[in-house]
């Protein structure tokens, strides 16, 4: 990646940090109730609004967050300070990834009411930032952030946007597209899987043929299948879907792509992208994050049958998300303030530089890693360079080297890779995740260290490049 | 509460802490890759196991966690050190509650693989500790910890343990029992709600009558309805259910009761308790926590129709939870290592003293608060002392005082209470949560401060006790 990109980003973040109050890590007053109370009350505006789910109905427009006490300040440390994390093995699996100090510090935010004004403001800003990350300015599009694993995103799609018996075309790229298909079936969808061989993806002509044969309510694509490192091409695929089957909803599983691969939600006319916090977004696991188009919301509204889930119901969450973004407290189920703070910090860091530079940095790191892999005489699962993800690399092991030998060799060198997960070849490959701070902060040296560990580890396992 | 109880608990925790390695908050080595690498490799055992979901199938018994590098050490600060949290309003709503420093610090744990041995060990220990919290030694009972809000627990019950058309009797105590009923209906249950007047709970004779009239697959009770502060009596209720309708599953919504009200899972023959992390357990929101009996698991196995959800599927999670507890890596959806670490710390603190003392401490604090409320001339929603929860108090406001006046008065004094949420009386009452550190650590002075703030605030609103 270019150092100038990084420097600029750090500059912006530093600028932001300098205008914020300093964090007071351990004020003696904090253990002294009267002093603490006085500190607090000095900062409280008299119209501190009511903390209740019903507030929205009673006080729709009374929250002036600018006059409220500031939420806990986060140092925006993004590659600008020494790490405050204890020494630990470098996690280079395709998610969770290594996290920035400031993001982790935000996880320790003191307790706040989930319907209190400071947290509501943080949640609202988080949703607005997600619009920027997904490159959408369409006000009919709607971001959702819900406590859960990334997998919950599949339920959200399957329980809300498809009705029992409706046809869904799933583009099969591996373990994760199989999972999405299973989830769709649980909620009654009639699923057709168009499966590609391991390390490949369904091709446009066969997709066109499939779309012409049947009326599909939805087509799903796994942008990056984390089991194989295969990248799908969204823009051309979307053109095809909109040309051949314009009523079909175009849904993207972006768990391993959002924030490391370009996603132009509006320009590419996507109807839904579901993702998780712990991959390229760089926030600890625990949040299902998604964006749906106005057209997807219409499909929800036009359902003939009730939504097939409760916690995953978009009908339940839609008004809540709209209210949060409008800084109005609202309640369906308790969100995790700490995770939302952490996501807020991660998104602030991401948006401190142009997204194009972030994607270019991931591509540059990926190119470097893939060249190193080739130089070692190793092959990737994704054999076609156009199909290779930029946030991870799935690497076939030499025939003489076992996964159970090489992974411990890497671990001994302080680097954690993941094993295989595609059922046809699970034991024959390893996965190297390269997203977020590990590639954006060159001072960490994560990539070089990992490549060196791989080289040394293979050699220790008796492998010599032919 | 008794000070001797607390002192003993602190002693135990201190003892535990002293045997653990000290945390090294900001080692200079951490920014120096070679030094860091050497530090790490010194501590890595050669058999560092494989990080992959498939590990379980290949290396079932090779994980000796005692030889692995220790996970990030948590100071067990439970009321033994000064608070390291910045000054902030004291959160005394019925969840989320104020969190202990060590619990919040655990939220910032460095990134780990969700299938790596150190995290798997932490998750496994967490599940084992939950058995103790629920007072079950029955190996057929199964704890579940899944990323999500507490609400997800309703989906888990509704989608797994009831089939479409089966009858469920919901004991109606307020907003939250209504929510559980709604959720059950979404998944097709035929729900009968036995509703009590506001501030009360259905009585045993009417429950007996209802159970005699129809064959119910399940009965649900909200142990503490957070909307009213009404406590239900589980032991006698369970006796009744097992006598009158022994095949009926007895399911408890324990969101606002687990860890502050006694729950004897085995002794009371409960079939399921669903709860959340952010209330009396004292861990930030984001985890759905539940315990199910062997009989409930049997009901799952005996379903005639498929489970009606994917992410909330007990079939999917059951083997994962069993594997984690056996320290075997396993994967269905990515858990949140940071939240699990935090829960691990919270449970370690809880179990450092006898549970009976914890419940007694909550009762003592509750008695004190309820006396103060009565002394102020105020009434509770729960008018019968036997029906009053011990972790929260729902207080009717004087007729002359509006919620929109008193809550800001409390906030000005650094205390955050919640507004009403029961639809029939929402604007007429406020809710005071008193769980966890706010009552267990008397040095915080939270309860006294809150009572004083309430007294002063009411006076500022023109209220004088008659």
């Amino acid at each position: 990646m270019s150092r100038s990109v990084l420097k600029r980003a750090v500059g912006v973040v530093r600028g932001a940090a300098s205008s914020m109050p300093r964090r007071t890590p351990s004020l003696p007053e904090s253990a002294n109730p009267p002093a603490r109370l006085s500190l607090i009350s000095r900062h409280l505006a008299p119209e501190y609004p009511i903390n209740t789910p019903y507030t929205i109905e009673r006080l729709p427009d009374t929250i002036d967050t600018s006059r409220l006490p500031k939420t806990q300040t986060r140092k925006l440390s993004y590659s600008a300070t020494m790490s405050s994390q204890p020494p630990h093995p470098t996690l280079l699996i395709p998610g969770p990834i290594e996290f920035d100090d400031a993001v982790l510090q935000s996880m320790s935010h003191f307790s706040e009411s989930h319907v209190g004004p400071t947290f509501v403001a943080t949640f609202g800003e988080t949703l607005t930032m997600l619009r920027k990350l997904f490159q959408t300015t369409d006000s009919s599009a709607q971001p959702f952030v819900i406590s859960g694993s990334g997998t919950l995103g599949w339920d959200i799609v399957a329980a809300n946007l498809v009705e029992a018996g409706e046809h869904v075309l799933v583009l099969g790229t591996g373990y994760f597209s199989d999972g999405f298909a299973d989830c769709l079936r649980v909620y009654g969808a009639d699923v057709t899987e168009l499966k590609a061989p391991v390390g490949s993806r369904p091709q446009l002509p066969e997709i066109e043929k499939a779309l012409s044969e049947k009326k599909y309510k939805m087509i799903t694509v796994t942008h990056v299948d984390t089991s194989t490192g295969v990248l799908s091409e969204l823009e051309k695929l979307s053109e095809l879907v909109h040309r051949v089957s314009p009523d079909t909803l175009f849904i993207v599983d972006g768990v391993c792509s959002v924030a490391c691969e370009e996603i132009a939600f509006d320009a590419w006319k996507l109807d839904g992208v579901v993702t998780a916090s712990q991959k390229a977004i760089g926030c600890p696991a625990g949040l299902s994050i998604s964006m749906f188009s106005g057209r997807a919301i219409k499909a929800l509204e036009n359902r003939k049958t009730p939504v097939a889930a409760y916690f995953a119901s978009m009908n339940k969450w839609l008004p809540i998300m709209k209210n949060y973004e409008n800084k109005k407290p609202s309640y369906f189920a308790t969100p995790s303030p700490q995770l939302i703070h952490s996501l807020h910090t991660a998104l602030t860091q991401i948006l401190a530089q142009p997204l194009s530079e972030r994607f270019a940095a991931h591509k540059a790191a990926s190119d470097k890693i893939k060249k190193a892999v080739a130089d070692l005489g190793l092959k990737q699962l994704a054999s076609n360079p156009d199909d290779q993800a930029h946030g991870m690399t799935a690497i076939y092991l030499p025939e003489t080297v076992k996964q159970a030998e090489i992974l411990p060799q890497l671990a001994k060198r302080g680097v954690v890779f993941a094993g295989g997960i595609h059922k046809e070849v699970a034991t024959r490959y390893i996965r190297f995740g390269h997203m977020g701070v590990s590639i954006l902060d060159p001072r960490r040296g994560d990539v070089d260290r990992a490549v060196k560990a791989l080289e040394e580890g293979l050699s220790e396992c008796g492998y010599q490049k032919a």
Side-chain angles (χ1 to χ4, degrees), chain A residues 219-284:
Chain A
I219 179 172
T220 74
V221 57
T222 306
H223 194 185
V224 169
D225 199 304
T226 318
S227 69
T228 59
V230 167
L231 173 71
S232 286
E233 208 290 317
L234 296 190
E235 193 174 7
K236 289 202 186 106
L237 180 58
S238 179
E239 278 168 19
L240 170 69
V241 174
H242 283 90
R243 177 169 54 78
V244 179
S245 186
D247 293 338
T248 300
L249 293 173
F250 185 44
I251 303 292
V252 177
D253 176 340
V255 167
C256 199
S257 72
V258 170
C260 66
E261 306 284 356
E262 165 116 47
I263 295 183
F265 194 85
D266 290 355
W268 297 351
K269 296 185 183 166
L270 310 181
D271 288 308
V273 179
V274 295
T275 189
S277 45
Q278 77 275 8
K279 305 214 178 196
I281 290 175
C283 165

Side-chain angles (χ1 to χ4, degrees), chain A residues 1-11 353-354 357 442:
Chain A
M1 76 166 291
S2 91
R3 280 176 179 258
S4 65
V5 168
L6 191 76
K7 221 188 281 172
R8 211 173 317 149
V10 172
Q353 67 172 312
E357 295 180 5

Side-chain angles (χ1 to χ4, degrees), chain A residues 73-355:
Chain A
T73 312
R74 297 168 296 278
K75 248 193 325 183
L76 291 173
S77 70
Y78 187 50
S79 76
T81 58
M82 306 273 271
S83 173
S84 60
Q85 298 171 46
H88 62 275
T90 304
L91 191 60
L92 294 171
I93 66 175
I97 66 169
E98 283 288 317
F99 301 122
D100 178 79
D101 286 1
V103 170
L104 282 181
Q105 282 157 18
S106 299
M107 289 290 286
S108 296
H109 197 285
F110 59 74
S111 196
E112 284 176 303
S113 167
H114 51 302
V115 288
T118 48
F119 173 66
V120 169
T122 300
F123 203 155
E125 286 165 19
T126 302
L127 293 166
T128 301
M129 285 193 280
L130 281 175
R131 294 183 187 273
K132 291 183 185 155
L133 175 60
F134 285 91
Q135 305 189 55
T136 172
T137 55
D138 183 345
S139 62
S140 73
Q142 181 61 49
F144 292 77
V145 179
I146 303 175
S147 281
S149 302
T151 299
L152 181 63
W154 293 343
D155 288 72
I156 295 173
V157 168
N160 290 279
L161 303 183
V162 192
E163 298 184 64
E166 288 181 332
H167 299 293
V168 178
L169 181 64
V170 171
L171 303 186
T173 42
Y175 183 93
F176 289 94
S177 58
D178 287 350
F180 203 165
D182 284 348
C183 178
L184 285 157
R185 285 189 199 101
V186 162
Y187 291 96
D190 185 337
V191 173
T192 303
E193 265 189 280
L194 192 60
K195 289 201 185 194
V198 177
S200 181
R201 55 173 160 98
Q203 301 298 304
L204 293 180
E206 50 183 334
I207 298 167
E208 176 160 0
K209 184 163 173 286
L211 285 173
S212 315
E213 283 168 0
K214 208 187 276 181
K215 182 145 185 80
Y216 287 101
K217 172 71 169 283
M218 177 187 289
I219 179 172
T220 74
V221 57
T222 306
H223 194 185
V224 169
D225 199 304
T226 318
S227 69
T228 59
V230 167
L231 173 71
S232 286
E233 208 290 317
L234 296 190
E235 193 174 7
K236 289 202 186 106
L237 180 58
S238 179
E239 278 168 19
L240 170 69
V241 174
H242 283 90
R243 177 169 54 78
V244 179
S245 186
D247 293 338
T248 300
L249 293 173
F250 185 44
I251 303 292
V252 177
D253 176 340
V255 167
C256 199
S257 72
V258 170
C260 66
E261 306 284 356
E262 165 116 47
I263 295 183
F265 194 85
D266 290 355
W268 297 351
K269 296 185 183 166
L270 310 181
D271 288 308
V273 179
V274 295
T275 189
S277 45
Q278 77 275 8
K279 305 214 178 196
I281 290 175
C283 165
L287 295 175
S288 155
I289 299 168
S290 49
M291 181 72 71
F292 292 101
S293 69
R295 209 165 76 123
I297 306 287
K298 267 260 138 50
L300 172 71
E301 289 166 359
N302 292 338
R303 285 182 70 96
K304 291 179 196 75
T305 57
V307 167
Y310 186 77
F311 181 61
S313 165
M314 284 169 71
N315 280 333
K316 296 286 187 190
W317 284 112
L318 191 62
I320 310 297
M321 295 295 147
K322 284 183 187 295
N323 284 338
Y324 271 124
E325 203 168 355
N326 291 321
K327 312 289 165 75
K328 295 175 187 171
S330 193
Y331 174 79
F332 166 56
T334 307
S336 179
Q338 283 71 18
L339 275 169
I340 299 292
H341 274 288
S342 184
L343 178 59
H344 187 278
T345 302
L347 291 172
T348 303
Q349 291 179 347
I350 289 172
L351 297 171
Q353 67 172 312
L355 285 173

Side-chain angles (χ1 to χ4, degrees), chain A residues 90 92-93 395 407 410 415-419 430-433 450-451 454:
Chain A
T90 304
L92 294 171
I93 66 175
I395 309 165
L407 289 179
L410 293 170
V415 171
V416 181
F417 278 18
I430 55 176
R431 293 176 299 153
F432 175 0
V451 168
L454 181 60

